[in-house]
């Protein structure tokens, strides 16, 4: 069991959407935590985590027992993906080989477009250099006997791209009306990451409850008394997944399940 006496945490990407929430929860647990980020001065160590100099600076604060890697590219190209994921993971492995590494990946690596069900045993079909960079980083984590969290799309009450686009009257999300959406609240993701810190090495799907795209827009229209755009946007750089990601049985066995669903949040924000 993780305790303040035995646990020392690093959070890489601590100023980001997921990392900032994880940082608050680690503080609430009383775990000594070092926050690293390349973009924000509001952390303990500001710098590129792929740079050994940055990691040496972090080691002056503490030698971690656990490292949560929550890096992101914000839509960057293939080189940005490789640097943010592969280079960072390799640098962490070399600098702190004894730490338990929990890596935040994406369920987009499965790449299904036909609505099929995917588990951790499913083949990863996503194509392109960005997907390969994520998978290469995952392999590095597994070689270090760490954990990979394949997360579905993250949101919270203040940051949800689907809701923002709807309220702004912008085109609907890409994909057919029956496209499966699995919006995972970032606090649910945080709870899962903390559990993974104590589970065996491996790949773990962390997924929200599925809902069809047309059902979400029908709910939005009813909740906000506003019609959705008749237009549909084209898929972005990452493509458009249409798949049902099943949460890891091991996570379910230790009591994890989504608590804050997209449906409940939409109704709460609409005051209904």
């Amino acid at each position: 069991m993780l305790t303040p006496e035995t646990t020392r945490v690093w959070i890489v990407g601590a100023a980001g959407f997921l990392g900032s929430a994880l940082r608050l929860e680690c503080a609430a647990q009383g775990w000594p935590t070092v926050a690293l980020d390349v973009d924000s001065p509001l952390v303990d160590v500001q710098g590129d985590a792929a740079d050994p100099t940055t990691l040496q600076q972090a080691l002056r604060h503490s030698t971690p027992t656990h490292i949560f890697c929550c890096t992101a590219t914000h839509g960057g190209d293939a080189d940005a993906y490789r640097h943010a994921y592969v280079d960072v993971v390799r640098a962490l492995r070399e600098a702190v080989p004894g730490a338990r590494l929990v890596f935040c990946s994406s369920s987009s690596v499965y790449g299904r477009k036909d609505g099929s069900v995917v588990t951790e045993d499913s083949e990863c079909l996503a194509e392109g250099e960005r997907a390969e960079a994520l998978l290469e980083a995952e392999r590095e984590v597994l070689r270090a006997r760490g954990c990979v969290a394949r997360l579905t799309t993250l949101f919270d009450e203040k940051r949800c791209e689907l809701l923002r686009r709807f309220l702004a009257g912008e085109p609907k999300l890409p994909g057919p009306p029956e496209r499966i959406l699995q919006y995972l609240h970032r606090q649910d993701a945080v709870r899962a990451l903390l559990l993974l810190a104590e589970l065996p090495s491996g790949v773990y799907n962390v997924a929200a409850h599925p809902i069809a795209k047309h059902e979400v827009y029908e709910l939005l229209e009813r909740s906000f008394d506003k019609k959705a755009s008749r237009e549909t946007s084209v898929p972005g750089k990452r493509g458009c997944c249409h798949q049902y990601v099943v949460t890891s049985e091991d996570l379910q066995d230790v009591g994890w399940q989504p608590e804050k669903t997209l449906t409940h949040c939409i109704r709460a924000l609409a005051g209904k």
Side-chain angles (χ1 to χ4, degrees), residues 139 146 176 242:
R139 291 190 288 270
H242 172 32

Side-chain angles (χ1 to χ4, degrees), residues 65-249:
T65 58
H66 296 76
I67 302 175
F68 295 94
C69 188
C70 307
T71 51
T73 64
H74 307 293
D77 60 15
D79 288 340
Y81 266 65
R82 179 165 294 279
H83 187 79
Y85 302 124
V86 180
D87 293 350
V88 166
V89 166
R90 285 177 176 167
L92 290 170
R93 286 189 60 192
E94 183 173 342
V96 201
R100 179 63 183 277
L101 185 56
V102 179
F103 176 70
C104 298
S105 186
S106 169
S107 61
S108 65
V109 296
Y110 292 114
R112 299 301 196 281
K113 303 181 186 300
D114 59 358
S116 55
V117 174
V118 292
T119 69
E120 292 90 348
D121 295 326
S122 301
E123 183 181 1
C124 293
L125 301 179
E127 299 178 347
E129 293 180 326
R130 295 178 182 85
E132 179 51 40
L134 269 178
L135 291 171
E136 185 175 348
E138 289 187 3
R139 291 190 288 270
E140 291 283 347
V141 171
L142 295 176
R143 280 194 281 269
R145 301 192 61 77
C147 283
V148 172
R150 288 181 178 162
L151 305 165
T152 56
T153 305
L154 296 177
F155 85 104
D156 74 359
E157 292 81 356
K158 295 183 179 180
R159 176 172 159 178
C160 178
E161 181 65 9
L162 182 153
L163 180 58
R164 184 200 66 77
R165 292 168 64 145
F166 169 78
L167 293 175
E170 296 179 8
K172 296 176 183 175
L173 294 177
E178 65 275 12
R179 179 188 172 191
I180 297 170
L181 302 178
Q182 291 180 269
Y183 274 71
L184 178 67
H185 197 284
R186 68 170 177 168
Q187 291 303 136
D188 286 329
V190 165
R191 290 192 301 107
L193 294 177
L194 298 185
L195 290 170
L196 291 184
E198 300 187 82
L199 290 180
S201 173
V203 175
Y204 296 82
N205 288 344
V206 186
H209 297 301
I211 184 169
K213 190 181 87 169
H214 72 87
E215 293 178 323
V216 172
Y217 281 103
E218 290 166 4
L219 173 63
L220 287 167
E221 290 182 339
R222 290 195 308 270
S223 299
F224 290 94
D225 194 22
K226 173 184 172 66
K227 288 294 184 181
S229 171
R230 294 184 179 182
E231 299 180 359
T232 298
S233 61
V234 297
K237 294 179 181 179
R238 298 184 186 181
C240 176
C241 288
H242 172 32
Q243 57 191 7
Y244 175 16
V245 182
V246 179
T247 292
S248 160
E249 289 185 1

